[in-house]
Amino acid sequence: MGAKHRGSIHDFPGFDPNQDAEALYTAMKGFGSDKEAILDIITSRSNRQRQEICQSYKSLYGKDLIADLKYELTGKFERLIVGLMRPPAYCDAKEIKDAISGIGTDEKCLIEILASRTNEQMHQLVAAYKDAYERDLEADIIGDTSGHFQKMLVVLLQGTREEDDVVSEDLVQQDVQDLYEAGELKWGTDEAQFIYILGNRSKQHLRLVFDEYLKTTGKPIEASIRGELSGDFEKLMLAVVKCIRSTPEYFAERLFKSMKGLGTRDNTLIRIMVSRSELDMLDIREIFRTKYEKSLYSMIKNDTSGEYKKSLLKLCGGDDDAAGQFFPEAAQVAYQMWELSAVARVELKGTVRPANDFNPDADAKALRKAMKGLGTDEDTIIDIITHRSNAQRQQIRQTFKSHFGRDLMTDLKSEISGDLARLILGLMMPPAHYDAKQLKKAMEGAGTDEKALIEILATRTNAEIRAINEAYKEDYHKSLEDALSSDTSGHFRRILISLATGNREEGGENLDQAREDAQVRPPEIADTPSGDKTSLETRFMTILCTRSYPHLRRVFQEFIKMTNYDVEHTIKKEMSGDVRDAFVAIVQSVKNKPLFFADKLYKSMKGAGTDEKTLTRIMVSRSEIDLLNIRREFIEKYDKSLHQAIEGDTSGDFLKALLALCGGED
């Protein structure tokens, strides 16, 4: 990861504390104050330098600089500037004092600070609290909190987390077993085991515990915490897990939530921007942009105003959406993400599996009964079809025809309608024929659904693509390539046809070839004479549409090494329209296919109205492949379960069928 500290604020070169003290005194002298001068000096100096300025100010003028700043400034701007002037431990102490003073407690503030600080920072915080308020921090927290939440806060406050990087495999296995037995295997929950292990083990040890826990139990530790714990204790433990996995990612998420929706949570925004500006702001910025597809800089710019905004932007240190602002330190974060993607071997799991004691004869009869006579028993239809694998559904179709001389699909079409019909009929089709139909519909009538074409062709394996080609030819008496040729054009058509051949290489990586492939980059990055965009798109297509997934992961890493740019960022900057969308879909699919689909599902239910077609297509096509993985990515990124999102956005029998496919509440 490079240097230990990756903050946006560093020691100011040519620093002169007396000169800065004089400039600040001048800025606050007389009527009004020169806020521009104040923010320019304070946001451009490191905290160590600010303490020297405070000392010089007192020596020169016999006055307390922080007291004068409080007198001259007001509101959010004052809170931010004064926060920057305090030593970090004293700033944390003030935040915690405010969180537990008066009526009520700001549990979110307590969780954020105590879950994220290192042992050394925790010891400094306890000492600063004692010095500033002549009170014992542990005693005050005990007096203001209760239960398991209180116990975990006290454990964290000790600052005794193990720091040894040498990890015992036996102890990892023991901790996994202890956590499993304390939660999933126990009637009730043994919270003490969760507190002891998550509050004391080293970060490196716990990361391995989390990996092994997923392998052993089939679910991430976060899912067990959500299922076994509750309230503030649950929120605290989830924050601890997030900080163990990646402290910068935890803060990126907190910053995003502080500004999304109506209103801004300014206290949270200020606290994080102040506390992380000299530690890991560069990492936070990069993760923020990767995760939310916008820069932290642009979100602050759109969500705040005045000198407060100017100060926050100075602390942010740069706009990652601006050309040339993809800096080396942040590029290393992106590089590590590709590294993790390259070595991760996550087992893909669907939510629909073959039913035990399957009896096609009984199912066929039950379905016939559900559709016979007056009215339709939709519950029975949903229950049977959503709980059988596709292979079992094909057996039911055959049995239905053998028993009753009727076509099950035709009967279902006549009995159910709307979104439910699209979902149930989709489940009844063999996967390749279903995808072929979705592609056909995307190209029918006026206009083309380019998003559907991209989603299917950019994410299917070679075997799946070949099966789709055969199904398309069989069902529509026309080749898929001919259909794509007549309905699309230009480079977008060439990309789709290349993907539709199903000839992607399937071997591992070739490092020499990967380095050569990574040379394909925009002229302004490559520092070569400008070429036309057409040739750039052709070169990208040749690599993205034909190389194997493991090889492409290595290409993307080498690309970052050579350019300090993430390939997805470059595509979004250099290309446009359907070509850009197709390339981005391929890159996201290579990196993390379940996350790609989680994003698509979230967008299908976001805002006014629901995109039922996309929602149905993904739920049907991924239910037996990786919908369980998609669920995990969904809750991790959007902080709510896919089950909750579906429940809040659909209704009736369609809702029942979707929830049955979803397979559970995370």
CSV table of all heavy atoms in Angstrom, one decimal, residues 435-486:
chain,number,residue,atom,x,y,z
A,435,ASP,N,-32.9,-16.6,-22.1
A,435,ASP,CA,-32.0,-15.5,-22.5
A,435,ASP,C,-32.2,-15.2,-23.9
A,435,ASP,O,-32.2,-14.0,-24.3
A,435,ASP,CB,-30.5,-15.9,-22.3
A,435,ASP,CG,-30.1,-15.7,-20.8
A,435,ASP,OD1,-30.7,-15.0,-20.1
A,435,ASP,OD2,-29.0,-16.3,-20.5
A,436,ALA,N,-32.4,-16.2,-24.8
A,436,ALA,CA,-32.7,-15.9,-26.2
A,436,ALA,C,-34.0,-15.1,-26.4
A,436,ALA,O,-34.0,-14.1,-27.2
A,436,ALA,CB,-32.9,-17.2,-27.0
A,437,LYS,N,-35.0,-15.4,-25.6
A,437,LYS,CA,-36.2,-14.6,-25.7
A,437,LYS,C,-36.0,-13.2,-25.2
A,437,LYS,O,-36.5,-12.2,-25.8
A,437,LYS,CB,-37.3,-15.3,-24.8
A,437,LYS,CG,-38.6,-14.6,-24.9
A,437,LYS,CD,-39.8,-15.3,-24.2
A,437,LYS,CE,-41.1,-14.6,-24.4
A,437,LYS,NZ,-42.2,-15.2,-23.7
A,438,GLN,N,-35.2,-13.0,-24.1
A,438,GLN,CA,-34.9,-11.6,-23.6
A,438,GLN,C,-34.2,-10.8,-24.7
A,438,GLN,O,-34.4,-9.6,-24.8
A,438,GLN,CB,-34.1,-11.7,-22.3
A,438,GLN,CG,-34.9,-12.4,-21.2
A,438,GLN,CD,-36.2,-11.7,-20.9
A,438,GLN,OE1,-36.3,-10.5,-20.6
A,438,GLN,NE2,-37.3,-12.5,-20.9
A,439,LEU,N,-33.2,-11.5,-25.4
A,439,LEU,CA,-32.5,-10.8,-26.4
A,439,LEU,C,-33.4,-10.4,-27.6
A,439,LEU,O,-33.4,-9.3,-28.1
A,439,LEU,CB,-31.4,-11.6,-26.9
A,439,LEU,CG,-30.2,-11.9,-26.0
A,439,LEU,CD1,-29.3,-13.0,-26.4
A,439,LEU,CD2,-29.4,-10.6,-25.7
A,440,LYS,N,-34.3,-11.3,-27.9
A,440,LYS,CA,-35.3,-11.1,-29.0
A,440,LYS,C,-36.2,-9.9,-28.7
A,440,LYS,O,-36.4,-9.0,-29.5
A,440,LYS,CB,-36.1,-12.3,-29.2
A,440,LYS,CG,-37.2,-12.2,-30.3
A,440,LYS,CD,-36.5,-12.3,-31.7
A,440,LYS,CE,-37.6,-12.7,-32.8
A,440,LYS,NZ,-38.6,-11.6,-33.0
A,441,LYS,N,-36.7,-9.9,-27.4
A,441,LYS,CA,-37.6,-8.8,-27.0
A,441,LYS,C,-36.8,-7.4,-27.0
A,441,LYS,O,-37.4,-6.4,-27.3
A,441,LYS,CB,-38.1,-9.1,-25.6
A,441,LYS,CG,-39.3,-10.0,-25.5
A,441,LYS,CD,-39.7,-10.2,-24.1
A,441,LYS,CE,-41.0,-11.0,-24.1
A,441,LYS,NZ,-42.2,-10.3,-24.6
A,442,ALA,N,-35.5,-7.5,-26.6
A,442,ALA,CA,-34.7,-6.3,-26.6
A,442,ALA,C,-34.6,-5.6,-28.0
A,442,ALA,O,-34.3,-4.4,-28.1
A,442,ALA,CB,-33.4,-6.5,-26.0
A,443,MET,N,-34.7,-6.5,-29.0
A,443,MET,CA,-34.5,-6.0,-30.4
A,443,MET,C,-35.8,-5.8,-31.2
A,443,MET,O,-35.8,-5.4,-32.3
A,443,MET,CB,-33.6,-6.9,-31.1
A,443,MET,CG,-32.2,-6.9,-30.6
A,443,MET,SD,-31.0,-8.0,-31.5
A,443,MET,CE,-31.4,-9.6,-30.8
A,444,GLU,N,-36.9,-6.1,-30.5
A,444,GLU,CA,-38.2,-6.1,-31.2
A,444,GLU,C,-38.8,-4.6,-31.2
A,444,GLU,O,-38.5,-3.8,-30.3
A,444,GLU,CB,-39.3,-7.0,-30.5
A,444,GLU,CG,-39.3,-8.4,-31.0
A,444,GLU,CD,-40.3,-9.2,-30.2
A,444,GLU,OE1,-40.8,-8.8,-29.2
A,444,GLU,OE2,-40.5,-10.4,-30.6
A,445,GLY,N,-39.6,-4.4,-32.2
A,445,GLY,CA,-40.4,-3.1,-32.2
A,445,GLY,C,-39.5,-1.9,-32.4
A,445,GLY,O,-38.4,-2.0,-32.8
A,446,ALA,N,-40.1,-0.8,-32.1
A,446,ALA,CA,-39.4,0.5,-32.2
A,446,ALA,C,-38.5,0.7,-31.1
A,446,ALA,O,-38.8,0.5,-29.9
A,446,ALA,CB,-40.4,1.7,-32.2
A,447,GLY,N,-37.2,1.0,-31.4
A,447,GLY,CA,-36.2,1.2,-30.4
A,447,GLY,C,-35.6,-0.2,-29.9
A,447,GLY,O,-36.2,-1.2,-30.1
A,448,THR,N,-34.4,-0.1,-29.3
A,448,THR,CA,-33.7,-1.3,-28.9
A,448,THR,C,-33.4,-1.1,-27.4
A,448,THR,O,-33.0,0.0,-27.0
A,448,THR,CB,-32.4,-1.4,-29.7
A,448,THR,OG1,-32.7,-1.5,-31.1
A,448,THR,CG2,-31.6,-2.7,-29.3
A,449,ASP,N,-33.5,-2.1,-26.6
A,449,ASP,CA,-33.1,-2.1,-25.2
A,449,ASP,C,-31.7,-2.5,-25.1
A,449,ASP,O,-31.3,-3.7,-24.9
A,449,ASP,CB,-34.0,-3.1,-24.4
A,449,ASP,CG,-33.8,-3.0,-22.9
A,449,ASP,OD1,-32.8,-2.3,-22.5
A,449,ASP,OD2,-34.5,-3.6,-22.2
A,450,GLU,N,-30.8,-1.5,-25.3
A,450,GLU,CA,-29.4,-1.8,-25.3
A,450,GLU,C,-28.9,-2.3,-24.0
A,450,GLU,O,-28.0,-3.1,-23.9
A,450,GLU,CB,-28.6,-0.5,-25.7
A,450,GLU,CG,-28.7,-0.1,-27.1
A,450,GLU,CD,-29.9,0.9,-27.3
A,450,GLU,OE1,-30.7,1.1,-26.3
A,450,GLU,OE2,-30.1,1.3,-28.4
A,451,LYS,N,-29.5,-1.8,-22.9
A,451,LYS,CA,-29.1,-2.3,-21.5
A,451,LYS,C,-29.3,-3.8,-21.4
A,451,LYS,O,-28.4,-4.4,-20.7
A,451,LYS,CB,-29.8,-1.5,-20.5
A,451,LYS,CG,-29.4,0.0,-20.4
A,451,LYS,CD,-30.1,0.7,-19.3
A,451,LYS,CE,-29.6,2.2,-19.2
A,451,LYS,NZ,-30.4,2.9,-18.2
A,452,ALA,N,-30.4,-4.3,-21.9
A,452,ALA,CA,-30.7,-5.7,-21.8
A,452,ALA,C,-29.6,-6.5,-22.6
A,452,ALA,O,-29.1,-7.6,-22.1
A,452,ALA,CB,-32.1,-6.0,-22.2
A,453,LEU,N,-29.3,-6.0,-23.8
A,453,LEU,CA,-28.4,-6.7,-24.6
A,453,LEU,C,-27.0,-6.8,-23.9
A,453,LEU,O,-26.3,-7.8,-23.9
A,453,LEU,CB,-28.2,-6.0,-26.0
A,453,LEU,CG,-29.4,-5.9,-26.9
A,453,LEU,CD1,-29.1,-5.1,-28.2
A,453,LEU,CD2,-29.9,-7.3,-27.3
A,454,ILE,N,-26.6,-5.6,-23.4
A,454,ILE,CA,-25.3,-5.6,-22.7
A,454,ILE,C,-25.3,-6.5,-21.5
A,454,ILE,O,-24.3,-7.3,-21.3
A,454,ILE,CB,-25.0,-4.1,-22.2
A,454,ILE,CG1,-24.7,-3.2,-23.4
A,454,ILE,CG2,-23.8,-4.1,-21.3
A,454,ILE,CD1,-24.7,-1.7,-23.1
A,455,GLU,N,-26.3,-6.4,-20.7
A,455,GLU,CA,-26.4,-7.2,-19.4
A,455,GLU,C,-26.2,-8.7,-19.7
A,455,GLU,O,-25.5,-9.4,-19.0
A,455,GLU,CB,-27.7,-7.0,-18.7
A,455,GLU,CG,-27.9,-7.8,-17.4
A,455,GLU,CD,-29.4,-7.9,-17.1
A,455,GLU,OE1,-30.0,-6.9,-16.9
A,455,GLU,OE2,-29.9,-9.1,-17.0
A,456,ILE,N,-26.9,-9.2,-20.7
A,456,ILE,CA,-26.8,-10.6,-21.0
A,456,ILE,C,-25.5,-11.0,-21.7
A,456,ILE,O,-24.8,-11.9,-21.2
A,456,ILE,CB,-28.0,-11.1,-21.9
A,456,ILE,CG1,-29.4,-10.9,-21.1
A,456,ILE,CG2,-27.9,-12.5,-22.4
A,456,ILE,CD1,-30.6,-11.0,-22.0
A,457,LEU,N,-25.2,-10.3,-22.7
A,457,LEU,CA,-24.0,-10.7,-23.5
A,457,LEU,C,-22.7,-10.5,-22.8
A,457,LEU,O,-21.7,-11.2,-23.0
A,457,LEU,CB,-24.0,-10.1,-24.9
A,457,LEU,CG,-25.1,-10.5,-25.8
A,457,LEU,CD1,-25.2,-9.7,-27.1
A,457,LEU,CD2,-25.1,-12.0,-26.1
A,458,ALA,N,-22.6,-9.5,-21.9
A,458,ALA,CA,-21.4,-9.1,-21.2
A,458,ALA,C,-21.1,-10.0,-20.0
A,458,ALA,O,-20.0,-10.0,-19.4
A,458,ALA,CB,-21.4,-7.7,-20.8
A,459,THR,N,-22.1,-10.8,-19.6
A,459,THR,CA,-22.0,-11.5,-18.3
A,459,THR,C,-22.1,-13.1,-18.4
A,459,THR,O,-21.7,-13.8,-17.5
A,459,THR,CB,-23.1,-11.1,-17.3
A,459,THR,OG1,-24.4,-11.4,-17.9
A,459,THR,CG2,-23.0,-9.6,-17.0
A,460,ARG,N,-22.4,-13.6,-19.6
A,460,ARG,CA,-22.6,-15.0,-19.7
A,460,ARG,C,-21.3,-15.7,-20.1
A,460,ARG,O,-20.4,-15.1,-20.8
A,460,ARG,CB,-23.7,-15.4,-20.8
A,460,ARG,CG,-25.1,-14.8,-20.6
A,460,ARG,CD,-25.6,-15.1,-19.2
A,460,ARG,NE,-27.0,-14.8,-19.1
A,460,ARG,CZ,-27.6,-13.8,-18.4
A,460,ARG,NH1,-26.8,-13.0,-17.7
A,460,ARG,NH2,-28.9,-13.6,-18.3
A,461,THR,N,-21.1,-16.9,-19.7
A,461,THR,CA,-19.9,-17.7,-20.0
A,461,THR,C,-20.0,-18.2,-21.4
A,461,THR,O,-21.0,-18.1,-22.1
A,461,THR,CB,-19.8,-19.0,-19.1
A,461,THR,OG1,-21.0,-19.8,-19.4
A,461,THR,CG2,-19.9,-18.6,-17.6
A,462,ASN,N,-18.8,-18.7,-21.9
A,462,ASN,CA,-18.8,-19.2,-23.3
A,462,ASN,C,-19.9,-20.3,-23.5
A,462,ASN,O,-20.6,-20.3,-24.5
A,462,ASN,CB,-17.4,-19.9,-23.6
A,462,ASN,CG,-16.4,-18.8,-23.9
A,462,ASN,OD1,-16.7,-17.6,-24.1
A,462,ASN,ND2,-15.1,-19.2,-23.8
A,463,ALA,N,-20.0,-21.2,-22.5
A,463,ALA,CA,-21.0,-22.3,-22.7
A,463,ALA,C,-22.4,-21.8,-22.7
A,463,ALA,O,-23.2,-22.2,-23.5
A,463,ALA,CB,-20.8,-23.3,-21.5
A,464,GLU,N,-22.7,-20.8,-21.9
A,464,GLU,CA,-24.0,-20.1,-21.9
A,464,GLU,C,-24.3,-19.4,-23.2
A,464,GLU,O,-25.4,-19.5,-23.7
A,464,GLU,CB,-24.1,-19.2,-20.7
A,464,GLU,CG,-24.2,-19.9,-19.3
A,464,GLU,CD,-24.0,-19.0,-18.1
A,464,GLU,OE1,-23.4,-17.8,-18.3
A,464,GLU,OE2,-24.4,-19.3,-17.0
A,465,ILE,N,-23.3,-18.7,-23.7
A,465,ILE,CA,-23.4,-18.0,-25.0
A,465,ILE,C,-23.7,-19.0,-26.1
A,465,ILE,O,-24.6,-18.7,-26.9
A,465,ILE,CB,-22.2,-17.1,-25.3
A,465,ILE,CG1,-22.0,-16.0,-24.3
A,465,ILE,CG2,-22.2,-16.6,-26.7
A,465,ILE,CD1,-23.0,-14.8,-24.5
A,466,ARG,N,-23.0,-20.0,-26.2
A,466,ARG,CA,-23.2,-21.0,-27.2
A,466,ARG,C,-24.6,-21.6,-27.2
A,466,ARG,O,-25.3,-21.8,-28.2
A,466,ARG,CB,-22.1,-22.1,-27.2
A,466,ARG,CG,-20.7,-21.6,-27.6
A,466,ARG,CD,-19.7,-22.6,-27.3
A,466,ARG,NE,-18.3,-22.0,-27.3
A,466,ARG,CZ,-17.3,-22.4,-26.6
A,466,ARG,NH1,-17.4,-23.4,-25.7
A,466,ARG,NH2,-16.1,-21.8,-26.7
A,467,ALA,N,-25.1,-21.9,-25.9
A,467,ALA,CA,-26.4,-22.4,-25.7
A,467,ALA,C,-27.5,-21.4,-26.2
A,467,ALA,O,-28.5,-21.8,-26.8
A,467,ALA,CB,-26.6,-22.8,-24.3
A,468,ILE,N,-27.2,-20.2,-25.9
A,468,ILE,CA,-28.1,-19.1,-26.3
A,468,ILE,C,-28.2,-19.0,-27.8
A,468,ILE,O,-29.3,-18.9,-28.4
A,468,ILE,CB,-27.7,-17.7,-25.7
A,468,ILE,CG1,-27.9,-17.7,-24.2
A,468,ILE,CG2,-28.5,-16.6,-26.4
A,468,ILE,CD1,-27.2,-16.5,-23.5
A,469,ASN,N,-27.1,-19.1,-28.5
A,469,ASN,CA,-27.1,-19.1,-30.0
A,469,ASN,C,-27.9,-20.2,-30.6
A,469,ASN,O,-28.7,-20.0,-31.5
A,469,ASN,CB,-25.6,-19.2,-30.5
A,469,ASN,CG,-24.9,-17.9,-30.6
A,469,ASN,OD1,-25.2,-17.1,-31.4
A,469,ASN,ND2,-23.9,-17.7,-29.7
A,470,GLU,N,-27.8,-21.4,-30.0
A,470,GLU,CA,-28.6,-22.6,-30.5
A,470,GLU,C,-30.0,-22.4,-30.2
A,470,GLU,O,-30.9,-22.6,-31.1
A,470,GLU,CB,-28.1,-23.9,-29.8
A,470,GLU,CG,-26.7,-24.3,-30.2
A,470,GLU,CD,-26.2,-25.5,-29.4
A,470,GLU,OE1,-27.1,-26.2,-28.8
A,470,GLU,OE2,-25.0,-25.8,-29.5
A,471,ALA,N,-30.4,-21.9,-29.0
A,471,ALA,CA,-31.8,-21.6,-28.7
A,471,ALA,C,-32.4,-20.6,-29.6
A,471,ALA,O,-33.5,-20.7,-30.0
A,471,ALA,CB,-31.9,-21.2,-27.2
A,472,TYR,N,-31.6,-19.5,-29.9
A,472,TYR,CA,-32.1,-18.4,-30.7
A,472,TYR,C,-32.5,-18.9,-32.1
A,472,TYR,O,-33.5,-18.6,-32.7
A,472,TYR,CB,-31.1,-17.3,-30.8
A,472,TYR,CG,-31.7,-16.0,-31.2
A,472,TYR,CD1,-32.1,-15.0,-30.2
A,472,TYR,CD2,-31.9,-15.6,-32.5
A,472,TYR,CE1,-32.6,-13.8,-30.6
A,472,TYR,CE2,-32.4,-14.4,-32.9
A,472,TYR,CZ,-32.8,-13.5,-31.9
A,472,TYR,OH,-33.4,-12.3,-32.3
A,473,LYS,N,-31.5,-19.7,-32.6
A,473,LYS,CA,-31.7,-20.3,-34.0
A,473,LYS,C,-32.9,-21.2,-34.0
A,473,LYS,O,-33.8,-21.2,-34.9
A,473,LYS,CB,-30.5,-21.1,-34.4
A,473,LYS,CG,-30.5,-21.6,-35.8
A,473,LYS,CD,-30.1,-20.5,-36.8
A,473,LYS,CE,-29.8,-21.1,-38.2
A,473,LYS,NZ,-29.6,-20.0,-39.1
A,474,GLU,N,-33.1,-22.0,-33.0
A,474,GLU,CA,-34.2,-23.0,-32.9
A,474,GLU,C,-35.5,-22.3,-32.7
A,474,GLU,O,-36.5,-22.6,-33.4
A,474,GLU,CB,-33.9,-23.9,-31.7
A,474,GLU,CG,-35.0,-25.0,-31.5
A,474,GLU,CD,-34.8,-25.8,-30.2
A,474,GLU,OE1,-33.7,-25.9,-29.7
A,474,GLU,OE2,-35.8,-26.3,-29.7
A,475,ASP,N,-35.6,-21.2,-31.9
A,475,ASP,CA,-36.8,-20.6,-31.6
A,475,ASP,C,-37.3,-19.6,-32.6
A,475,ASP,O,-38.5,-19.4,-32.9
A,475,ASP,CB,-36.8,-19.9,-30.2
A,475,ASP,CG,-36.6,-20.9,-29.1
A,475,ASP,OD1,-36.9,-22.1,-29.3
A,475,ASP,OD2,-36.2,-20.5,-28.0
A,476,TYR,N,-36.3,-18.9,-33.3
A,476,TYR,CA,-36.6,-17.7,-34.2
A,476,TYR,C,-36.2,-17.9,-35.6
A,476,TYR,O,-36.3,-17.0,-36.4
A,476,TYR,CB,-36.1,-16.4,-33.5
A,476,TYR,CG,-36.6,-16.3,-32.1
A,476,TYR,CD1,-35.6,-16.3,-31.1
A,476,TYR,CD2,-37.9,-16.1,-31.8
A,476,TYR,CE1,-36.0,-16.3,-29.7
A,476,TYR,CE2,-38.3,-16.0,-30.5
A,476,TYR,CZ,-37.4,-16.1,-29.5
A,476,TYR,OH,-37.8,-16.0,-28.1
A,477,HIS,N,-35.5,-19.1,-35.9
A,477,HIS,CA,-35.1,-19.4,-37.3
A,477,HIS,C,-34.3,-18.3,-37.9
A,477,HIS,O,-34.4,-18.0,-39.1
A,477,HIS,CB,-36.4,-19.7,-38.1
A,477,HIS,CG,-37.3,-20.6,-37.5
A,477,HIS,ND1,-37.0,-22.0,-37.3
A,477,HIS,CD2,-38.6,-20.4,-37.0
A,477,HIS,CE1,-38.1,-22.5,-36.7
A,477,HIS,NE2,-39.0,-21.6,-36.5
A,478,LYS,N,-33.4,-17.8,-37.1
A,478,LYS,CA,-32.5,-16.7,-37.5
A,478,LYS,C,-31.3,-16.7,-36.5
A,478,LYS,O,-31.5,-17.0,-35.4
A,478,LYS,CB,-33.2,-15.4,-37.4
A,478,LYS,CG,-32.4,-14.2,-37.9
A,478,LYS,CD,-33.2,-12.9,-37.8
A,478,LYS,CE,-32.5,-11.7,-38.4
A,478,LYS,NZ,-33.3,-10.5,-38.3
A,479,SER,N,-30.1,-16.5,-37.1
A,479,SER,CA,-29.0,-16.5,-36.2
A,479,SER,C,-29.0,-15.2,-35.3
A,479,SER,O,-29.4,-14.2,-35.7
A,479,SER,CB,-27.7,-16.6,-36.9
A,479,SER,OG,-27.4,-15.3,-37.5
A,480,LEU,N,-28.4,-15.4,-34.1
A,480,LEU,CA,-28.3,-14.2,-33.2
A,480,LEU,C,-27.5,-13.2,-33.8
A,480,LEU,O,-27.7,-12.0,-33.7
A,480,LEU,CB,-27.8,-14.7,-31.8
A,480,LEU,CG,-27.5,-13.6,-30.8
A,480,LEU,CD1,-28.8,-12.8,-30.5
A,480,LEU,CD2,-26.9,-14.2,-29.5
A,481,GLU,N,-26.4,-13.6,-34.4
A,481,GLU,CA,-25.5,-12.6,-35.1
A,481,GLU,C,-26.2,-11.7,-36.1
A,481,GLU,O,-26.1,-10.5,-36.2
A,481,GLU,CB,-24.3,-13.3,-35.7
A,481,GLU,CG,-23.3,-12.3,-36.3
A,481,GLU,CD,-22.1,-13.0,-37.0
A,481,GLU,OE1,-21.7,-14.1,-36.5
A,481,GLU,OE2,-21.6,-12.5,-38.0
A,482,ASP,N,-27.1,-12.4,-36.9
A,482,ASP,CA,-27.8,-11.6,-37.9
A,482,ASP,C,-28.8,-10.7,-37.3
A,482,ASP,O,-29.0,-9.5,-37.7
A,482,ASP,CB,-28.6,-12.6,-38.8
A,482,ASP,CG,-27.7,-13.4,-39.8
A,482,ASP,OD1,-26.5,-12.9,-40.0
A,482,ASP,OD2,-28.2,-14.4,-40.4
A,483,ALA,N,-29.4,-11.1,-36.2
A,483,ALA,CA,-30.3,-10.2,-35.5
A,483,ALA,C,-29.6,-9.0,-34.9
A,483,ALA,O,-30.1,-7.9,-35.0
A,483,ALA,CB,-31.0,-11.0,-34.4
A,484,LEU,N,-28.5,-9.2,-34.3
A,484,LEU,CA,-27.7,-8.1,-33.7
A,484,LEU,C,-27.2,-7.2,-34.8
A,484,LEU,O,-27.2,-6.0,-34.7
A,484,LEU,CB,-26.5,-8.7,-32.9
A,484,LEU,CG,-26.8,-9.4,-31.6
A,484,LEU,CD1,-25.6,-10.1,-31.1
A,484,LEU,CD2,-27.3,-8.4,-30.6
A,485,SER,N,-26.8,-7.8,-36.0
A,485,SER,CA,-26.3,-7.0,-37.1
A,485,SER,C,-27.4,-6.0,-37.6
A,485,SER,O,-27.1,-4.9,-38.0
A,485,SER,CB,-25.8,-7.9,-38.2
A,485,SER,OG,-24.7,-8.6,-37.8
A,486,SER,N,-28.6,-6.5,-37.7
A,486,SER,CA,-29.6,-5.7,-38.3
A,486,SER,C,-30.2,-4.7,-37.3
A,486,SER,O,-30.9,-3.7,-37.7
A,486,SER,CB,-30.8,-6.6,-38.8
A,486,SER,OG,-31.3,-7.4,-37.8
